[in-house]
Every structure is written in C-alpha cells, then in structure tokens.
Amino acid sequence: MGGHEQNYVEEAFRTNWIAPLGPNVDLFEQAIQNYVKQDVHVAALSTGTAAIHLGLELLGVSKGDEVLCQSFTFSASANPIMYLGATPVFVDSEISTWNMCPVLLREAIVDRISKGKKPKAIVAVHLYGMPYQVMEIRAVADEFEIPIVEDSAEALGSSYKGNNCSSFGDIGILSFNGNKIITTSGGGALVTKNGDIKQKAVFLATQARDNAPHYQHSHVGYNYRMSNVLAGIGRGQMEVLDDRVAARRSNFDFYKSSLDNFEEVEFLNEPDGFFSNRWLSCILTPTYEIRETIRLALLEEDIESRPLWKPMHCQPIFEKFPNYVNGISEELFQRGLCLPSGSNLNSTDLERVVTIIIKELTR
Ligand SMILES: *Cc1c(COP(=O)(O)O)cnc(C)c1O
C-alpha cells in the first residue's frame, strides 16, 4: 500500500457508503481518467475479467460468434469469450513485443472469412506490460472493421508513442487484482472513449435495471460494479502508480545490467516509442533445460520464479479451438522465466536473485 488508502477506506465507513457505488467509486474513476487521458470514460468494476466480459458483449459478441484472441496470455483474456457462448480463435505472437502478430492476425481473419464467418472482435493483450504493436494491429482491425478489446490488465502505466495503454482499443480493460501493478485487492475497469458505452457498461454491471420506480428488467444483467470500500484503496493506489512503475522498471534495469554479459540470458527490449511498466521482469534462456536449472536453483533458496504464460492454444480447455500459430509463444513458454518483480524488492533481494542465477550460469 502507498499510505493514503486507509484514509479513503475510513471515509467510506464514516459516511456509511458501504455499497457498490459512492464517492470513492466516482473519484477512483476520475483518477484513472485523468491518468489515462485521451478523454476516456472509465467504469470501475469488480474484476478485469468482468470488464472483458462486458466489453465483448457491448461490442455485440454473442452465441456462435468467433472472437480472435492472443494465444500468449493469461486465461482470463479468453474465458469471457466462452461465457458468451462464442468460439475463441487463437493468434500467435511476434518476437519484438511477444504480443499478437499483426501479419498472422490478418491471415487468420482472411481464413475465417473464407470459411464463412467474419470474427466479431479481437482481444489483444499488452503482456507483462509491453504494449502490442498498436498501429499495425489497429490497421488490420480497421481494414476488416473488427473492433478491438484491449486487454491492459498488466499494462497500467505503459504507453505507446506517448499515449497510455487502455486508450487504444474500441474498449480497453484494466485489472486491479492483488498481483497487478496497483491493486484494490480485486477490481477492474472498462475504459472507453464513448460516454454511451460507459453508461451501458454500468447499466449491465448493476443488474440491467430499467428506469422505473419498481424493479423492471428487459436485459440479462450482472453484478459487476466495484465496491465503494475497495475503490477507496484504488484512490490511494493511483497516487503511487508512477512510483510503482519506476520501481518495476528499476527491477528490470538491475536484472538487465547484472546479467547482460551472459549470452544465455536475453531480455525483451522496448522498441522505439514503446514504454513498458515492466510489470514482470522476464528473461529468455537458450533451452528449457537451462530455464529449469535456474528456476530450481532459485526455488532451492525459497525464491519463487515462474515460466512465462502457457499459450492458450496449448491449454487442455482451449486446444480444440481454431488457432493460427508460428511457434513463437510455445518457444517463449519453453525458454522464458518471470523473475521476482514486486515493487517492494530491495537491492539485497535483487542481488540474491542475480547471484544465484550467475552461479548456475558459470558452474
Ligand atoms: C489479471 C489479468 C486479467 C484478469 O483480471 P482480473 O482482475 O484478475 O479478473 C486479464 N488479462 C490478463 C492478461 C491478466 O493478466
């Protein structure tokens, strides 16, 4: 926590706003809008997953539709496609950002159309905080007039050509889950440049209650709004977001400068115009075996590290769905490792990690 969160939480208690609406919700949304800029409207929700679900529904995805989804991601990018009874179609990554490959995306769209169905939406992800190729993906989406859900769950504080992530999609989403760069313990947001879309998102997120004195419903609704208590945590967290980004980037810089001499360790650099919040610091090793050697040596010292995300097209629940792959995400999964990346790591912690890795590489 940054320090002021408890004041805002206490404010909720003092004023008795213990509900999924209230001043903290409004002011948290305002703080995100001020941060992201680009005249966005923000709806604070219970989770990032809920935001993707509402986003897809608001873009018209329904039963039987196909939705293109980055394969190299966390399952929460794809699960909401299933909630809607739609079919995920997975698209592999390119090597410069590890995110959705625009060339493969185009091939996938052309092929899906030739098979008789035009995909209804694209879920593109800024994985580990690195922006995807924003312009190239947008160009393909526009060519075929397919809207984008921009999964920025890991990328609050990241930007592309000076503009903040979550402002590029037809709908953007954020997550404030406990593991993200800032947190409300659990929480998310839908980000849109269209005020009507925000109103519709809030309507669906609050049980789709029609305007009437009694309870009247003509839509299926959800209970997806953020609690006013948790939004208080969010207000305090927004005050320290820039510090968190600086801390995460400093972790990355330390790992990179300490390990750069070893040809067995590769880092993902920021292409020109890309700014990553470096949510997690990741390395690529030459082989699965070397990756595992490092992971197990760290584990031996009670230090947790984790393989990169296992691609969705390789997951038991998703492997039966269509996919357009080039081997890149599978390679990243085999050879990649997320190092300890918390904003509260001190230089002793970081030294310990690096010392263990160097010991393995020089044995
Ligand atoms: C965390 C995460 C989500 C889901 O957010 P929740 O708030 O945990 O529901 C979606 N996509 C990605 C890439 C994530 O990392």
Side-chain angles (χ1 to χ4, degrees):
M1 291 290 100
H4 291 163
E5 291 84 355
Q6 233 170 339
N7 302 347
Y8 300 123
V9 171
E10 269 163 25
E11 204 170 291
F13 276 71
R14 190 157 30 81
T15 55
N16 212 21
W17 276 104
I18 312 297
L21 78 167
N24 278 341
V25 172
D26 298 340
L27 290 165
F28 182 40
E29 290 179 343
Q30 191 63 55
I32 302 167
Q33 283 164 200
N34 294 345
Y35 188 91
V36 174
K37 302 194 184 77
Q38 304 299 307
D39 293 324
V40 295
H41 305 262
V42 170
L45 301 171
S46 53
T47 65
T49 310
I52 298 172
H53 187 186
L54 291 185
L56 289 170
E57 180 163 333
L58 289 166
L59 294 175
V61 174
S62 64
K63 196 167 172 180
D65 287 338
E66 291 189 353
V67 176
L68 297 150
C69 182
Q70 184 164 321
S71 186
F72 191 49
T73 186
F74 177 49
S75 64
S77 306
N79 280 331
I81 300 168
M82 308 290 285
Y83 304 165
L84 289 162
T87 302
V89 175
F90 294 107
V91 178
D92 215 326
S93 291
E94 43 78 22
I95 204 65
S96 73
T97 70
W98 296 358
N99 293 310
M100 188 182 267
C101 173
V103 178
L104 211 47
L105 172 66
R106 194 175 186 286
E107 278 175 36
I109 295 172
V110 169
D111 192 54
R112 295 328 289 171
I113 292 174
S114 80
K115 290 189 160 68
K117 225 175 226 181
K118 182 174 140 180
K120 261 293 177 55
I122 299 164
V123 180
V125 188
H126 307 297
L127 210 63
Y128 300 117
M130 181 65 77
Y132 60 73
Q133 291 188 351
V134 171
M135 251 164 46
E136 290 79 356
I137 296 287
R138 172 50 71 190
V140 176
D142 285 354
E143 181 185 346
F144 296 94
E145 298 183 324
I146 303 174
I148 298 173
V149 172
E150 179 196 2
D151 182 343
S152 308
E154 303 177 3
L156 182 57
S158 300
S159 61
Y160 170 79
K161 296 196 169 160
N163 293 324
N164 283 295
C165 288
S166 80
S167 69
F168 303 118
D170 293 86
I171 288 179
I173 76 95
L174 295 167
S175 168
F176 311 106
N177 201 51
N179 56 338
K180 298 305 199 289
I181 191 149
I182 62 164
T183 182
T184 57
S185 74
L190 184 144
V191 182
T192 168
K193 289 183 181 158
N194 181 333
D196 287 344
I197 295 268
K198 177 189 167 168
Q199 289 318 312
K200 282 183 186 152
V202 171
F203 169 75
L204 290 175
T206 50
Q207 308 286 22
R209 194 178 164 197
D210 296 339
N211 194 6
H214 54 276
Y215 279 82
Q216 171 92 8
H217 304 275
S218 34
H219 283 270
V220 173
Y222 306 95
N223 186 2
Y224 276 174
R225 200 74 163 118
M226 177 177 277
S227 155
N228 191 61
V229 179
L230 301 186
I233 305 177
R235 284 179 69 192
Q237 287 276 284
M238 284 305 289
E239 296 173 8
V240 295
L241 173 55
D242 285 337
D243 299 340
R244 298 290 186 267
V245 173
R248 301 261 171 171
R249 286 180 61 86
S250 148
N251 290 340
F252 178 88
D253 290 343
F254 181 87
Y255 286 133
K256 185 163 158 63
S257 62
S258 310
L259 297 168
D260 230 10
N261 296 334
F262 297 88
E263 58 183 31
E264 296 94 333
V265 180
E266 271 179 78
F267 291 87
L268 181 63
N269 293 315
E270 289 164 323
D272 240 12
F274 287 64
F275 180 88
S276 170
N277 66 10
R278 297 293 186 189
W279 175 57
L280 298 189
S281 288
C282 307
I283 57 171
L284 270 190
T285 64
T287 63
Y288 169 81
E289 287 71 25
I290 296 176
R291 200 280 308 280
E292 278 302 277
T293 308
I294 295 173
R295 188 179 70 79
L296 294 169
L298 290 168
L299 194 60
E300 188 73 20
E301 299 290 327
D302 266 341
I303 297 172
E304 189 188 14
S305 63
R306 243 180 247 173
L308 302 190
W309 298 119
K310 179 173 179 174
M312 291 307 113
H313 71 269
C314 303
Q315 298 286 357
I317 185 67
F318 293 128
E319 64 193 1
K320 62 178 175 290
F321 296 113
N323 62 57
Y324 295 82
V325 299
N326 53 20
I328 288 177
S329 63
E330 287 175 50
E331 188 85 357
L332 292 169
F333 172 58
Q334 289 293 311
R335 292 169 35 208
L337 192 66
C338 304
L339 299 178
S341 300
S343 317
N344 55 355
L345 292 172
N346 60 35
S347 53
T348 318
D349 299 329
L350 292 165
E351 287 282 3
R352 261 184 84 209
V353 174
V354 161
T355 307
I356 294 163
I357 296 175
I358 292 178
K359 197 170 132 211
E360 286 311 311
L361 293 177
T362 51
R363 77 161 61 242

